[in-house]
Amino acid sequence: MKGCLSGCLRKVGLAALAIGFAYAGWKWGPAVFPRVEAWLGAEAGELAEAPVEREPTPAIAEATLDRVEAFRAGTGGERLELDAVELSSVLRHTLPGIIPPGIARPTVDLDGESVWLTARVETAAIPNLPAFDEIVGLLPDTVDMRLRGSVLPFGEGWAALQVERVEAERIPLPSRMIPGILQALGRRPREGLPERALAVPLPSGLERVYVEGGRMVLLADR
């Protein structure tokens, strides 16, 4: 009985609301409803345009690697584009051992022609540099580190990530610290490689890799 009464009240409420709108439309007409329609249209448009954010997952990583392998094997054209979520998924879930200890949740963001690498870093994993000592003492045990760079060609079969900026907790670090940070990330010196750059080997079948329009572009070596 109580449920029936509640249902009836809801129906009465809806009916009253409908009658109220009908009366407003009859009495004031265009003075009211265009505004209502515009408001409803704007709300619907905002909901329709709201982007659905993806999170890096093992499934996306596996699908991305399948796409890259098919591309290297000659399937498709001579150009393959990858977005930031695909790159983050591969970095997190399919490259065990490439991320040094003390670094968690690495994330790739692509902005125009720039690459942003973000991660949670334990301050104990930050290289023991004289210039770092005072800064590390002011930071918590774990910090957000951000690194911005550009992907450049570097000899046959290689690319280089030229690092232009490093931040800890959104605070820009002096550029003189960048070589030491890259060394902590596993940088190995190579002839002709700038001290603020990481050399990255290209998989066979790829001629060049670069960033354009917020996406990473792979060019096939046919």
Side-chain angles (χ1 to χ4, degrees), residues 10-74:
R10 283 198 298 268
K11 292 178 182 178
V12 171
L14 290 174
L17 184 63
I19 292 172
F21 269 102
Y23 178 77
W26 169 75
K27 185 168 185 179
W28 292 291
V32 172
F33 276 88
R35 297 178 185 175
V36 175
E37 291 173 357
W39 177 77
L40 291 176
E43 289 290 318
E46 291 175 1
L47 290 176
E49 295 173 2
V52 178
E53 294 186 1
R54 296 183 298 157
E55 288 291 327
T57 64
I60 294 177
E62 184 176 354
T64 302
L65 290 182
D66 288 343
R67 290 180 61 204
V68 174
E69 287 302 310
F71 178 69
R72 291 173 56 202

Side-chain angles (χ1 to χ4, degrees), residues 180-203:
I181 295 172
L182 298 185
Q183 184 177 357
L185 292 174
R187 179 190 183 275
R188 295 183 179 180
R190 296 182 62 87
E191 184 178 354
L193 181 68
E195 65 175 359
R196 297 181 187 175
L198 290 168
V200 182
L202 298 180

Side-chain angles (χ1 to χ4, degrees), residues 7 41 58 105 109 133:
R105 295 186 59 82
D109 290 306
D133 292 342

Side-chain angles (χ1 to χ4, degrees), residues 129 147-148 152 154 160-166 174-199:
L129 301 175
L147 178 155
R148 187 189 71 194
L152 306 173
F154 180 66
L161 177 63
Q162 177 76 40
V163 178
E164 301 154 355
R165 182 184 180 94
V166 177
S175 58
R176 67 179 181 276
M177 296 182 180
I178 294 178
I181 295 172
L182 298 185
Q183 184 177 357
L185 292 174
R187 179 190 183 275
R188 295 183 179 180
R190 296 182 62 87
E191 184 178 354
L193 181 68
E195 65 175 359
R196 297 181 187 175
L198 290 168

